[in-house]
């Protein structure tokens, strides 16, 4: 049920074709759901991500991959909780190629 709710939320976000600015404070699972579904029109993104401690791995990597699909992104602010160093390194590698 929780997973279906996240998929529905992702679909709603993906349908916002003129969305340019996003500011949110989310847990890992919801952050992935939102960021992966952001439309390419997003130019300014602020995300505060709280780790859930549920053993999810690859969360930050998936977010980094999704950010690479936002061609108009000009401003990015990430506030990250206590993620493992390996995940932070994974995100850093993906972000290093962004033209911002």
């Amino acid at each position: 049920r929780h997973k279906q709710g996240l998929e529905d939320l992702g679909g709603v976000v993906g349908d916002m074709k003129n969305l340019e600015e996003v500011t949110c404070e989310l847990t890992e699972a919801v952050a992935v759901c939102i960021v992966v579904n952001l439309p390419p029109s997003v130019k300014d993104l602020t995300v505060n991500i709280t780790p859930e401690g549920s053993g999810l791995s690859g969360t930050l990597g998936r977010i980094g991959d999704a950010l690479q699909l936002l061609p108009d992104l000009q401003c990015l602010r990430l506030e990250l909780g206590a993620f493992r160093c390996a995940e932070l390194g994974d995100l850093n590698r993906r972000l290093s190629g962004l033209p911002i």
Side-chain angles (χ1 to χ4, degrees):
R1 187 174 193 175
H2 177 69
K3 185 176 181 177
Q4 181 61 48
L6 287 177
E7 289 173 5
D8 291 346
L9 178 61
V12 168
V13 171
D15 288 341
M16 297 178 184
K17 301 299 180 204
N18 296 316
L19 188 65
E20 291 187 2
E21 186 175 336
V22 178
T23 300
C24 47
E25 185 170 333
L26 308 164
T27 60
E28 281 180 78
V30 179
V32 168
C33 174
I34 295 291
V35 175
V36 165
N37 288 291
L38 287 173
S41 57
V42 172
K43 295 178 180 176
D44 188 315
L45 177 62
T46 301
V47 186
N48 182 330
I49 305 172
T50 303
E52 294 176 85
S54 60
L56 289 175
S57 66
T59 297
L60 296 182
R62 288 174 63 197
I63 288 173
D65 287 343
L67 293 174
Q68 293 178 25
L69 301 176
L70 300 175
D72 295 332
L73 189 63
Q74 298 170 6
C75 184
L76 173 65
R77 289 176 291 297
L78 293 176
E79 297 178 29
L80 305 172
F83 283 91
R84 296 185 321 247
C85 288
E87 286 222 51
L88 293 171
D90 197 23
L91 175 63
N92 187 46
R93 280 189 295 282
R94 286 173 167 85
L95 294 182
S96 65
L98 291 179
I100 56 173

